[in-house]
Amino acid sequence: MLSSRPDSLTDSFVTPSNTPLNLDQSLEPPRASYLSPTPETAASLRDSYAESPDHISPLVPDNEKHDAIAYGQELRAEPVLRKRSILGRPLFWLIAFAVVTVVVLTVVLPVYFVVIKRHNQSTGGTSAGHGGSGGSNPGTGITTTGGNGSLITTASGTTFTYLNPFGGIWVDNPDDPFNNGAYPNSWTPPLNSSWTWGVDKIYGINLGGLFVLEPFITPALYQKYPGAVDEWTLSTLMAADTASGGLQQLETHYNTFITEQDIAEIAGAGLNWIRLPIPFWAIEKWDFEPFLEKVCWPYILRVIQWARKYGIRVNLDLHTIPGSQNGYNHSGKSGSVNFLNGVMGLANAQRALDYIRIITEFISQPEWVDVIPVFSIVNEALVSTIGTDQIISFYLLAHDMIRNITGYGEGHGPYIAIHDGFLGTAAWADFLQGSDRIILDIHPYFAFDGQSSGQPIATGTGLSAGGIWPQQACSAWGPDMNTSQTAFGITIAGEFSTGYNECGLYLLGVGNTASYGTSCSLFLDSSQWNDTMKAGLYEFTLASMDALQDWFFWTWKIGNSSTTNSVQSPLWSYQLGLQSGWIPTDPRTAVGTCAALGVTGPQFDGVYQAYQTGGPGAGTIVASSVTSYGQYPPTPINGLTSGAIQSLLPTYTSTSAVPTLPPPTFSPSPSPSVSVGNGWFDSGDTGLAPTQVQGCTYPNAWDAVSSSMPTALCPSTSGVIPVTTSLSSSR
């Protein structure tokens, strides 16, 4: 029998309860003992580029980790104007008056109307900010703000210059840490203003490899531990290496892989959204899992606070699911699919649903709702294994649970993003009509489609650059995206890249040398690329962006290989592409590329049905969908032996305390009038969380597809109580 997760309640946290929708659910309160920084762990174990001291910050101090990150701020000196003699000349006064007028018109008024006034009108913030200019002293409680060329002082006291040629404004006020007045560029609304789907465009970036470690993004960590192929094996081997700091090495990575300067550079690149993959072990892990639990949560909050500072919206992506939703290394463990599949499929789904619930409760609080408008609830579920009806049944249940927490309609909690499960957009047409704000997320890659990628890309310049690849991107993705905007509703590309082939160190996994053998040598070393090669990649990237319209590039940064001290998957690094010339410095440059290449197709007029954006009808799901998918658990569960009796599948019991996600602590402390929340939006959500039934034996939750079926319930009263969605309760 596998050990069940401990039920220790030694730490004092708010443990509100939730309506479990009759699913047996239960989780324990946060109990991570955070790790102390040491001189040996002060430096990053990876870096795509040589970094200056400005790019390094110390580990989150222990005394600021009580519930979450301490988002400290150093004092910034008030700028002092050099005094000049008056000379008693009328001409001087005329010139001085003109200068003051220009300053008022170009600096003070824009800051007031764009930052302060809009913030005062925001429903997402809790404390009004006050106007200021770059360099104001945060200790006074005055809003510090600035634009292109302003000096940024980080929490560690280091500085860098904010470079943003697109009119973006950052905002930072220690007295009001939830100020949402910033915006990353002139064409993106501030966080405290409405985002209009169909009009405003997502130019986004993923922060892959930061909190969910993938071998090709963080190769040095995997190279240090031969035999590590996923975060499960990496964590196991790392924990045994106490001489190197054990799992504390992961905290060093969280602290240094992405810094505030990265987020500032993202805004300065014309990007306006971040997709932030996070693991479920940010909440907790169970005893039989080797992951580093809870430690990444303060760093997740830190990244979100940086995004807020620079006006960048966040798509929070639950990238890992208990048991694995796809068997890929980025699900936590390579191997089999044990989410909604196999003997432990229902039990793992219970845990997943509760983690979705806990995250929803946190991000639906008023402090976070403006900066996290989208929640991607399951990354890349392998629907060909799980089953279409089965995953839709789960999504309907998750939709109802989320909306029971947030309420229905525009302004009530995040949009819910679901992945297409590699089925393509057409398979999701007319999905759950009448549901409240669901987004379809696709991840189009030529690198993994099984087709030949041998056609050259270094073929010329301008529209003749890129060979077949730019036109292929436009033809393969553009029409589908436009059609899906009408047939489904809001459709985005949560991932894509310049990687048109499968070349990259560990891109296909550790040990799969097809992606980093001799045939791929050119694509592992961008220093060998000539202008024609870069022109082809540039044109392919433009075509991809134009075809996908609302997109998130995968990914911002690739870490160096420890053997070459260089990036060996350069096609996947937006930052490196910006620096080297195959990524556009202004993403708007992509608009019109497909038309210029002669690719035409259906066009979307930018208008969604009212329910799809939280308008009238949102939450009233059509009867046919409720009839087809409203019964949970779904039947059958795939991955069972022939003749298996589904009612005997192992499940958990909802008797454990809920591990609520703690709010951040700030240093210095904000104004007493500022609420940081308690991690739980809906006080009426009072159910407990799933845990193993004492005395029952469970198969391996991560490898149970081939396990024997139980022959009797344990205990006789256990099991998931069926949940039926009714038309009257769906609103």
Side-chain angles (χ1 to χ4, degrees), residues 327-639:
Y328 302 149
N329 59 27
H330 51 73
S331 69
K333 189 175 189 294
S334 303
S336 56
V337 177
N338 291 274
F339 163 71
L340 279 181
N341 185 66
V343 176
M344 288 298 288
L346 284 184
N348 282 321
Q350 286 179 268
R351 286 182 69 189
L353 193 68
D354 211 58
Y355 296 150
I356 292 169
R357 162 204 178 199
I358 291 166
I359 295 170
T360 299
E361 288 285 5
F362 187 92
I363 67 177
S364 298
Q365 297 175 105
E367 295 82 15
W368 305 97
V369 69
D370 285 346
V371 73
I372 310 176
V374 174
F375 178 21
S376 296
I377 60 174
V378 179
N379 176 66
E380 293 187 350
L382 192 60
V383 178
S384 60
T385 296
I386 295 169
T388 303
D389 290 353
Q390 290 80 354
I391 197 69
I392 293 177
S393 179
F394 180 85
Y395 286 154
L396 175 56
L397 183 64
H399 166 274
D400 289 350
M401 179 193 69
I402 290 170
R403 293 304 172 221
N404 283 339
I405 292 169
T406 68
Y408 286 83
E410 183 180 6
H412 294 280
Y415 278 69
I416 302 166
I418 63 168
H419 184 249
D420 75 340
F422 308 106
L423 300 181
T425 58
W428 298 89
D430 301 323
F431 172 81
L432 296 185
Q433 290 181 309
S435 58
D436 184 14
R437 292 167 294 149
I438 296 182
I439 294 173
L440 182 63
D441 174 16
I442 68 169
H443 299 172
Y445 292 119
F446 290 139
F448 308 130
D449 67 359
Q451 304 299 312
S452 171
S453 58
Q455 292 293 323
I457 201 166
T459 59
T461 59
L463 289 176
S464 64
I468 68 168
W469 297 104
Q471 190 171 52
Q472 188 163 321
C474 291
S475 300
W477 302 333
D480 281 353
M481 287 295 288
N482 277 313
T483 299
S484 185
Q485 306 292 348
T486 300
F488 175 93
I490 299 171
T491 305
I492 64 174
E495 297 181 18
F496 85 102
S497 79
T498 308
Y500 73 98
N501 60 32
E502 60 185 22
C503 293
L505 178 64
Y506 301 156
L507 183 63
L508 300 181
V510 177
N512 191 338
T513 57
S515 68
Y516 51 99
T518 303
S519 62
C520 281
S521 59
L522 173 64
F523 298 98
L524 303 183
D525 183 4
S526 62
S527 68
Q528 300 182 47
W529 299 351
N530 60 22
D531 290 344
T532 305
M533 174 77 161
K534 292 180 181 180
L537 296 173
Y538 182 87
E539 194 66 20
F540 173 63
T541 303
L542 290 183
S544 301
M545 291 175 172
D546 191 34
L548 298 172
Q549 302 176 51
D550 292 283
W551 47 261
F552 295 85
F553 189 96
W554 186 275
T555 183
W556 172 248
K557 177 182 290 186
I558 300 291
N560 284 355
S561 163
S562 62
T563 59
T564 65
N565 197 33
S566 65
V567 174
Q568 291 202 290
S569 295
L571 293 174
W572 299 77
S573 175
Y574 199 97
Q575 186 185 59
L576 184 59
L578 277 176
Q579 296 170 344
S580 304
W582 66 84
I583 295 289
T585 56
D586 183 347
R588 296 173 299 173
T589 307
V591 176
T593 298
C594 291
L597 290 169
V599 178
T600 60
Q603 297 297 310
F604 174 56
D605 62 8
V607 179
Y608 295 103
Q609 296 185 58
Y611 78 85
Q612 294 168 340
T613 56
T620 306
I621 298 176
V622 297
S624 58
S625 291
V626 172
T627 300
S628 298
Y629 309 112
Q631 182 71 30
Y632 190 90
T635 53
I637 293 293
N638 293 324

Side-chain angles (χ1 to χ4, degrees), residues 44 48 56 81 160 201 258 273 278 285 380 393 456 480 501 518 526 583 643 683 702 708 710:
S44 171
S48 296
I56 301 298
L81 296 178
F160 64 89
K201 292 297 181 183
I258 296 293
W273 280 72
I278 66 171
K285 72 175 183 71
E380 293 187 350
S393 179
D480 281 353
N501 60 32
T518 303
S526 62
I583 295 289
S683 60
W702 290 79
S708 300

